[in-house]
């Protein structure tokens, strides 16, 4: 079978055309014919050894990368989505076949567009899980999407719109791309490319939620703007850290940004979010099937993925490998 494999953490995946089809075992008893696989930032981090789970997924080499996929059960032809933990280490999704735990597979309708769905699903979960199932955002609340011009950020705007949030503020570093956010459902724009952010023109209603896909300096700028100029605290502000697209893992966090503003800083994957993952998945698949949300995708071959691994999924466009 065709497969993308890594021989170590220092090299990018290469295409092998005669890789052995994995054998099932009592735990991973479903053989899956892979149809489409997204190339996400996490895939690149794990394959390079830079993610905390790298050695779990690749305990030895050669190894197949890929954290999710849509495929068909070989024995029934049933269309299914494969979450990351459904697959066996060493046998990721970037191959013509993989093996999975049947109880973790999500059944899908045959009419779904597999490329669009597989590219958008996990990225859209990063906003849907915390907004609906963790903090239960209300229509009158405000949301700032820090990194709104990226793939997940653009989906987050659409997710917020589907949750009836009326005040959606798109924050980004590229003014031209930022303006495209208005067509997706944002109603205010925040340019964070300057040394200091000017939020005087931004209207905040209800409580404030910040979905942060960037971290680094953009997150620092937002935090400094949350420090009030009086003892009054008129709203609850929650910052949900999702990604670090700036490449900066560390920030300077002023104590006053937390103490005087009542900011809550939390991660995306809380216990409450995880408990509601199946509910979120069901809702999200319905949106994708009915084209309530969509992501900009580029369908590529395994050959192209191997040749251009470092340049896949850039500029707000997600690459989906079609097998």
């Amino acid at each position: 079978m065709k497969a993308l494999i890594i021989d170590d953490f220092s090299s990018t995946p290469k295409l092998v055309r005669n890789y052995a089809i994995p054998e099932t075992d009592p735990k991973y008893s479903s053989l899956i014919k892979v149809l489409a696989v997204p190339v996400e930032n996490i895939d690149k981090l794990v394959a390079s050894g830079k993610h905390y789970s790298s050695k779990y997924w690749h305990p030895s080499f050669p190894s197949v990368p890929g954290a999710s996929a849509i495929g068909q059960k070989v024995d029934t032809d049933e269309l299914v989505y494969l979450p990351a933990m459904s697959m066996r280490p060493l046998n990721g999704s970037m191959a013509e076949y993989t093996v999975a735990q049947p109880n973790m597979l999500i059944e899908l309708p045959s009419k779904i567009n597999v490329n669009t769905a597989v590219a958008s699903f996990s990225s859209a979960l990063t906003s849907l899980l915390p907004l609906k199932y963790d903090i239960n955002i209300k229509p009158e609340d405000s949301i700032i999407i820090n990194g709104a011009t990226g793939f997940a950020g653009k989906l987050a705007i659409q997710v917020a719109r589907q949750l009836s949030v009326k005040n959606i503020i798109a924050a980004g570093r590229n003014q031209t791309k930022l303006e495209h956010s208005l067509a997706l459902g944002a109603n205010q724009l925040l340019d964070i490319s300057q040394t200091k952010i000017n939020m005087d023109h931004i209207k905040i209603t209800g409580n404030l939620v910040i979905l942060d896909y960037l971290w680094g300096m953009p997150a620092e700028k937002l935090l400094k703007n949350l420090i009030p100029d009086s003892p009054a605290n008129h709203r609850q502000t929650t910052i949900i850290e999702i990604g670090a697209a700036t490449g900066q893992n560390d920030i300077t966090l002023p104590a006053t940004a937390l103490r005087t503003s009542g900011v809550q800083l939390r991660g995306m994957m809380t216990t409450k979010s995880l408990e509601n993952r199946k509910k979120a998945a069901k809702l999200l698949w319905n949106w994708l099937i009915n084209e309530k949300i969509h992501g900009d995708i580029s369908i590529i071959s395994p050959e192209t993925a191997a040749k251009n691994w470092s340049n896949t999924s850039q500029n707000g466009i997600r690459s989906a490998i079609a097998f």
Side-chain angles (χ1 to χ4, degrees), residues 123-186:
S123 291
L125 274 182
T126 64
S127 53
L128 178 60
L129 280 172
L131 290 179
K132 181 173 176 64
Y133 299 99
D134 191 8
I135 63 174
N136 190 23
I137 196 167
K138 302 293 192 298
E140 64 270 19
D141 292 336
S142 299
I143 178 172
I144 296 177
I145 299 169
N146 195 29
T149 62
F151 185 81
K154 290 189 288 187
L155 284 169
I157 295 172
Q158 299 171 72
V159 167
R161 183 182 61 185
Q162 290 300 314
L163 295 176
S164 301
V165 179
K166 296 177 182 177
N167 194 19
I168 304 171
I169 303 153
R173 296 170 288 178
N174 184 308
Q175 184 62 35
T176 301
K177 292 182 180 179
L178 200 56
E179 291 175 356
H180 295 161
S181 302
L182 297 172
L184 296 175

Side-chain angles (χ1 to χ4, degrees), residues 272-286:
K272 201 170 182 180
S273 292
L274 291 172
E275 288 174 348
N276 288 282
R277 190 177 178 92
K278 287 188 177 180
K279 292 181 181 178
K282 185 177 181 180
L283 178 59
L284 187 53
W285 286 122
N286 182 61

Side-chain angles (χ1 to χ4, degrees), residues 6-9 46 49 53-65 87-92:
I6 55 172
D7 290 321
D8 52 52
F9 287 132
V46 171
S53 67
S54 292
K55 290 184 179 179
Y56 170 81
W57 291 112
H58 306 295
S60 62
F61 301 101
S63 184
V64 179
M87 287 175 281
R88 185 170 60 197
L90 298 178
N91 298 119

Side-chain angles (χ1 to χ4, degrees), residues 131 135-146 165 167-171 188 190 199 202-211 222-223 225-227 233-240 257 261-266:
L131 290 179
I135 63 174
N136 190 23
I137 196 167
K138 302 293 192 298
E140 64 270 19
D141 292 336
S142 299
I143 178 172
I144 296 177
I145 299 169
N146 195 29
V165 179
N167 194 19
I168 304 171
I169 303 153
Q188 296 187 76
L190 178 59
M199 293 184 62
I202 298 296
K203 181 181 179 181
I204 305 295
T205 57
N207 291 323
L208 176 62
V209 178
I210 300 175
L211 294 183
L222 283 177
L223 280 164
N225 272 275
L226 296 176
I227 301 173
N233 186 2
H234 300 292
R235 67 177 60 90
Q236 174 65 55
T237 299
T238 304
I239 300 177
I240 300 170
S261 64
V263 168
Q264 291 186 1
L265 179 61
R266 61 208 300 174

